[in-house]
Amino acid sequence: MPAKQLVTFLTHCQGRVAAGLEQVLSELQVSPQLQQAMAYSLLGEGKRVRASLVYAAAEAVGSQPVAADAPAAAVEALHAYSLVHDDLPAMDDDDLRRGKPSCHCAYNEATAILVGDALQALAFELLSVGDDTGLKTDRRLIMISILARSAGARGMVAGQMLDMEAEGQQLTQAQLEIIHQHKTGALISASVELGALTDPDVSTDQQRALAHYGRIMGLAFQIQDDILDIESDTKTLGKPSQSDLSHVKSTYPVVLGIPQARKLLQQLQSQALTALGGFGASAAMLRELVYFMIQRDH
Ligand code: GRG
């Protein structure tokens, strides 16, 4: 059970990011079908871990939540795109996502491709459009660059490509770590970095420490995902369990065994907490998120 303070924090972050995303979706009026399918994939049951990391990192460096609204919405839009495309028949071919039919099942494959494309573009639009949150243009530009890097051929898409190429093969732990760091870790780490950048005066040391925390949590999050894929059930996960096994994927539990994968998670947990050593009470939510992300059940 997450700590009460974290539950309140997560609920607050979920509400804030949902309100922002609903608002922006309501302004898309050119194609009602596209708008509906985007809303279907973007709003609803997601845990909003990435948005919460943006808000928690912003809090750690002393920023107000309003400064984190645009980056939080952007990382969730980008994440939702990756899920829609990841579920496509040409990719993982999964029919269930967030407890309901995947986008291509609820609509059709072509619409799901366009939804992913539109959500990805929306992420960058959200970061680039100026408003009254106090984020200066040069900061937004750095954020766009970090998000683009984490999403593309140096980050998530590269990780997905390596993951596909590795299907049916036995990987070493080092190879697996590279895939996880890119496929899942890059966006999680970028979320923390974007949160840190909401403070115009954030120090290089703070940025380095938070980026280090983000990288550790990115890897840990995917290892726990691998364990849940084996140990949990489809209803709890809201997506098919045993998906990695059916795609003959090398994962941490497959390569190391579940006890060793858990031991590694414990090590990553203490490394992540150590990375926050230079922060005081303002990093309380980042600390709580370590436990939540590693001990989550879905
Ligand atoms: C370009 C065709 C094309 C495909 C790209 C980029 C990509 C497909 C896939 C990225 C791989 C991916 C989906 C990684 C994320 C893995 C992961 C742990 C997803 C689940 O995240 P949660 O648990 O999900 O945060 P919720 O639903 O809570 O938001």
Coordinates of all heavy atoms in Angstrom, one line a residue, residues 45-50 76 79 81-83 85-86 88 91 97-98 156-157 160 183-184 221-222 225 239 296 298, ligand 1:
E45 N -7.5 5.3 -17.5 CA -7.0 4.5 -16.4 C -5.5 4.5 -16.1 O -5.0 3.8 -15.2 CB -7.4 3.0 -16.6 CG -8.8 2.7 -16.2 CD -9.1 3.1 -14.8 OE1 -8.5 2.6 -13.9 OE2 -10.1 3.9 -14.6
G46 N -4.7 5.2 -16.9 CA -3.2 5.2 -16.7 C -2.8 5.6 -15.3 O -3.5 6.5 -14.7
K47 N -1.7 5.1 -14.8 CA -1.2 5.5 -13.5 C -0.7 6.9 -13.4 O -0.6 7.5 -12.3 CB -0.1 4.5 -13.0 CG -0.6 3.1 -12.8 CD 0.4 2.1 -12.3 CE 1.5 1.8 -13.3 NZ 1.1 1.1 -14.5
R48 N -0.3 7.4 -14.6 CA 0.3 8.7 -14.7 C 1.6 8.9 -13.9 O 1.9 9.9 -13.2 CB -0.6 9.8 -14.2 CG -2.0 9.8 -14.8 CD -1.9 10.1 -16.3 NE -3.3 10.2 -16.9 CZ -3.5 10.0 -18.2 NH1 -2.5 9.7 -19.0 NH2 -4.7 10.1 -18.6
V49 N 2.4 7.8 -13.9 CA 3.7 7.8 -13.2 C 4.6 8.8 -13.8 O 5.3 9.5 -13.0 CB 4.3 6.4 -13.3 CG1 5.8 6.4 -13.0 CG2 3.6 5.4 -12.4
R50 N 4.7 9.0 -15.1 CA 5.6 9.9 -15.7 C 5.3 11.3 -15.4 O 6.1 12.2 -15.0 CB 5.7 9.7 -17.2 CG 6.3 8.3 -17.5 CD 5.9 7.7 -18.9 NE 6.3 6.3 -19.0 CZ 5.6 5.3 -18.4 NH1 4.5 5.5 -17.7 NH2 6.1 4.0 -18.6
E76 N 3.0 12.5 -20.8 CA 1.8 11.5 -20.8 C 1.3 11.3 -22.3 O 0.9 10.2 -22.7 CB 0.7 11.9 -19.9 CG 1.0 11.7 -18.4 CD 1.3 10.3 -18.0 OE1 0.7 9.4 -18.7 OE2 2.1 10.0 -17.1
H79 N 3.9 9.1 -23.9 CA 3.7 7.8 -23.4 C 2.5 7.1 -24.0 O 2.6 5.9 -24.4 CB 3.6 7.8 -21.9 CG 3.2 6.6 -21.2 ND1 3.9 5.4 -21.3 CD2 2.2 6.3 -20.4 CE1 3.4 4.4 -20.6 NE2 2.3 4.9 -20.0
Y81 N 1.1 7.7 -26.9 CA 1.4 7.3 -28.3 C 2.2 6.0 -28.3 O 1.9 5.1 -29.1 CB 2.2 8.4 -28.9 CG 3.5 8.0 -29.6 CD1 3.5 7.2 -30.8 CD2 4.7 8.3 -29.1 CE1 4.6 6.8 -31.4 CE2 5.9 7.9 -29.7 CZ 5.9 7.1 -30.8 OH 7.0 6.6 -31.4
S82 N 3.1 5.8 -27.4 CA 4.0 4.6 -27.4 C 3.2 3.4 -27.1 O 3.4 2.3 -27.7 CB 5.2 4.7 -26.5 OG 4.8 4.5 -25.2
L83 N 2.2 3.5 -26.2 CA 1.3 2.4 -25.9 C 0.4 2.0 -27.1 O 0.3 0.8 -27.4 CB 0.5 2.7 -24.7 CG 1.2 3.0 -23.4 CD1 0.2 3.2 -22.2 CD2 2.2 1.9 -23.0
H85 N 1.0 2.5 -30.3 CA 1.7 1.9 -31.4 C 2.3 0.5 -30.9 O 2.4 -0.4 -31.7 CB 2.9 2.8 -31.8 CG 2.4 3.8 -32.8 ND1 3.3 4.6 -33.6 CD2 1.2 4.2 -33.2 CE1 2.6 5.4 -34.4 NE2 1.3 5.2 -34.1
D86 N 2.7 0.4 -29.6 CA 3.2 -0.8 -29.1 C 2.2 -2.0 -29.2 O 2.5 -3.1 -29.4 CB 3.6 -0.6 -27.7 CG 4.5 -1.8 -27.2 OD1 5.4 -2.1 -27.9 OD2 4.3 -2.3 -26.0
L88 N -0.1 -2.3 -31.6 CA -0.5 -2.6 -33.0 C -0.1 -4.1 -33.4 O 0.9 -4.6 -32.9 CB 0.2 -1.6 -33.9 CG -0.3 -0.2 -33.9 CD1 0.6 0.7 -34.7 CD2 -1.7 -0.2 -34.5
M91 N 3.4 -4.7 -34.0 CA 4.3 -4.7 -32.9 C 4.0 -5.8 -31.9 O 4.1 -6.9 -32.3 CB 4.2 -3.3 -32.2 CG 4.4 -2.1 -33.2 SD 6.0 -2.0 -34.0 CE 6.9 -1.2 -32.7
R97 N -5.6 -2.9 -23.2 CA -4.7 -1.8 -22.7 C -5.5 -1.0 -21.7 O -6.6 -0.6 -22.0 CB -4.2 -0.9 -23.8 CG -3.4 0.3 -23.4 CD -2.1 -0.1 -22.8 NE -1.1 -0.8 -23.6 CZ 0.1 -1.1 -23.2 NH1 0.5 -1.0 -22.0 NH2 0.9 -1.8 -24.1
R98 N -4.9 -0.8 -20.5 CA -5.6 0.0 -19.5 C -7.0 -0.6 -19.2 O -8.0 0.2 -19.1 CB -5.6 1.5 -19.8 CG -4.2 2.1 -19.8 CD -4.1 3.5 -20.2 NE -2.9 4.1 -19.9 CZ -2.5 5.3 -20.3 NH1 -3.3 6.1 -21.1 NH2 -1.3 5.8 -20.0
M156 N 13.5 5.7 -26.9 CA 12.5 4.7 -26.8 C 12.4 3.9 -28.1 O 12.2 2.7 -28.1 CB 11.2 5.4 -26.5 CG 10.0 4.5 -26.4 SD 8.5 5.5 -25.8 CE 8.2 6.4 -27.3
V157 N 12.4 4.6 -29.3 CA 12.2 3.8 -30.5 C 13.4 2.9 -30.7 O 13.2 1.8 -31.2 CB 11.9 4.8 -31.7 CG1 12.0 4.0 -33.0 CG2 10.6 5.5 -31.5
Q160 N 12.8 -0.1 -28.6 CA 11.8 -0.9 -29.2 C 12.4 -1.8 -30.3 O 12.1 -3.0 -30.5 CB 10.6 -0.1 -29.7 CG 9.5 -0.8 -30.3 CD 8.6 -1.6 -29.3 OE1 8.9 -1.6 -28.1 NE2 7.6 -2.2 -29.8
K183 N 14.1 1.6 -24.1 CA 12.7 1.4 -24.4 C 11.8 2.1 -23.3 O 10.8 2.7 -23.6 CB 12.3 -0.1 -24.4 CG 11.0 -0.4 -24.9 CD 10.7 -1.9 -25.0 CE 10.2 -2.4 -23.6 NZ 9.6 -3.7 -23.6
T184 N 12.1 1.9 -22.1 CA 11.3 2.4 -21.0 C 12.0 3.5 -20.2 O 11.4 4.5 -19.8 CB 10.9 1.3 -20.0 OG1 10.3 0.2 -20.8 CG2 9.8 1.7 -19.0
F221 N 11.7 0.4 -13.0 CA 10.3 0.3 -13.4 C 10.0 -0.9 -14.4 O 9.1 -1.6 -14.3 CB 9.9 1.6 -14.1 CG 8.4 1.8 -14.3 CD1 7.5 2.1 -13.2 CD2 7.8 1.6 -15.6 CE1 6.2 2.2 -13.4 CE2 6.5 1.7 -15.8 CZ 5.6 2.0 -14.7
Q222 N 11.0 -1.0 -15.4 CA 10.8 -2.1 -16.4 C 11.0 -3.4 -15.8 O 10.4 -4.4 -16.2 CB 11.7 -1.8 -17.6 CG 11.5 -2.8 -18.7 CD 10.0 -2.8 -19.3 OE1 9.5 -1.8 -19.7 NE2 9.4 -4.0 -19.4
D225 N 8.0 -4.4 -14.2 CA 7.0 -4.7 -15.3 C 7.2 -6.1 -15.8 O 6.3 -6.9 -16.0 CB 7.2 -3.7 -16.4 CG 5.9 -3.4 -17.1 OD1 5.1 -2.7 -16.5 OD2 5.8 -3.8 -18.3
K239 N -3.8 -5.3 -19.0 CA -3.2 -5.6 -20.3 C -2.8 -7.1 -20.1 O -2.7 -7.6 -19.0 CB -1.9 -4.8 -20.6 CG -0.8 -4.9 -19.6 CD 0.4 -4.0 -19.9 CE 1.5 -4.2 -18.9 NZ 2.7 -3.3 -19.1
R296 N 4.8 -1.7 -7.0 CA 3.5 -1.6 -7.6 C 3.0 -3.0 -8.0 O 3.8 -3.9 -8.3 CB 3.5 -0.6 -8.8 CG 4.2 -1.2 -10.0 CD 4.6 -0.1 -10.9 NE 5.6 -0.6 -11.9 CZ 5.3 -1.1 -13.1 NH1 4.0 -1.2 -13.5 NH2 6.2 -1.6 -13.9
H298 N 0.5 -3.2 -10.5 CA 0.0 -3.2 -11.9 C 0.7 -2.0 -12.6 O 1.4 -1.2 -12.0 CB -1.5 -3.0 -12.0 CG -2.0 -1.7 -11.5 ND1 -2.0 -1.3 -10.2 CD2 -2.5 -0.6 -12.2 CE1 -2.5 -0.1 -10.1 NE2 -2.8 0.4 -11.2
Ligands
GRG1 C1 6.7 3.7 -34.2 C2 5.1 1.7 -34.9 C3 6.0 2.4 -33.9 C4 6.0 1.9 -32.6 C5 6.8 2.5 -31.6 C6 7.9 3.4 -29.2 C7 7.1 2.1 -29.2 C8 6.4 1.7 -30.4 C9 7.1 1.4 -28.1 C10 7.7 1.8 -26.9 C11 7.8 0.6 -26.0 C12 7.0 0.8 -24.8 C13 5.5 0.8 -24.9 C14 7.6 1.0 -23.6 C15 6.9 1.2 -22.3 C16 6.7 0.0 -21.5 C17 5.9 0.1 -20.3 C18 6.4 -0.3 -19.0 C19 4.6 0.5 -20.4 C20 3.6 0.6 -19.3 O1 3.7 1.8 -18.6 P1 2.8 2.1 -17.4 O2 2.7 0.9 -16.4 O3 1.4 2.3 -18.1 O4 3.2 3.4 -16.8 P2 0.1 3.1 -17.7 O5 -1.1 2.5 -18.4 O6 -0.1 3.1 -16.2 O7 0.3 4.5 -18.2

